[in-house]
Amino acid sequence: ARANGSGQFGPLGITVPTTAAPGSYAVSGIGQSSRRAGTARITVMAFNPAIALSPLSSTPNVLVTVRGQGYAGGEVITLALNGVALATSPSVIKTTGSGTFYATYRVPATALSGANTLAATGAISRATATASLAVFLPVQPAPAQASMTLDRATANPGSLVEVRGSGYTAYEYVKIVFGATLVLTARA
């Protein structure tokens, strides 16, 4: 800055370094020729990011809206579900000057059944906020059950026992196991 004829300057804008940790800092101006120094203090606050999801529960392929606040102004935000970055709209999420953002994403098919963690992380501030998204996966039909019947409940060693089976895939080979010993391979 350059002082005017009265020895004053400003107003001027300065940017607090993004690496500044929370705490009190001195902001100083030192005259190059006079060596006079003026100092004022500023308190740097910690980022306090927060995100909100809508809806809070979903199934795969449903569009989820994310609103965030408390980030550095003009920074890029990455959204990740359970630690995996998501494709979003817009494709590059950038906060407003006041540190807010709005984005959407589709719940991926790889989401877990139950609670999933969505994290929004700022590229400059490294501030992260998380929210939980409950995902309900479609119920898969239970596989068909195979069954076996024997012609008797007791037998002597060396005796022949008749075995019948049902519920197998057509024409598949079925291994018949007695205890842990394979005794026959039959075709369904």
Side-chain angles (χ1 to χ4, degrees), residues 37-187:
T39 302
R41 296 208 67 79
I42 189 168
T43 300
V44 174
M45 305 298 290
F47 287 105
N48 190 19
I51 57 174
L53 308 181
S54 179
L56 294 174
S57 61
S58 179
T59 57
N61 205 34
V62 169
L63 194 66
V64 175
T65 298
V66 183
R67 295 181 189 277
Q69 65 183 28
Y71 291 88
E75 75 175 323
V76 173
I77 301 293
T78 300
L79 295 183
L81 189 66
N82 302 323
V84 178
L86 293 167
T88 61
S89 178
S91 59
V92 176
I93 305 167
K94 194 168 186 181
T95 60
T96 64
S98 60
T100 65
F101 72 88
Y102 170 92
T104 61
Y105 72 93
R106 290 207 176 274
V107 177
T110 55
L112 304 174
S113 179
N116 289 259
T117 301
L118 179 77
T121 303
I124 295 171
S125 66
R126 305 307 306 155
T128 299
T130 61
S132 184
L133 175 72
V135 175
F136 300 99
L137 299 179
V139 176
Q140 300 294 328
Q145 291 290 326
S147 65
M148 289 193 36
T149 59
L150 305 174
D151 70 341
R152 63 185 108 171
T154 61
N156 294 321
S159 62
L160 184 63
V161 177
E162 187 176 283
V163 179
R164 291 183 186 266
S166 64
Y168 295 94
T169 302
Y171 306 110
E172 79 174 313
Y173 287 94
V174 178
K175 293 179 180 179
I176 310 299
V177 179
F178 184 94
T181 304
L182 176 66
V183 292
L184 178 69
T185 301
R187 187 170 178 185

Side-chain angles (χ1 to χ4, degrees), residues 1-14 27-32 34 36-40:
R2 184 173 181 185
N4 64 19
S6 301
Q8 300 173 340
F9 70 88
L12 300 172
I14 65 167
V27 179
S28 303
I30 302 167
Q32 287 184 343
S34 69
R36 293 180 187 157
T39 302

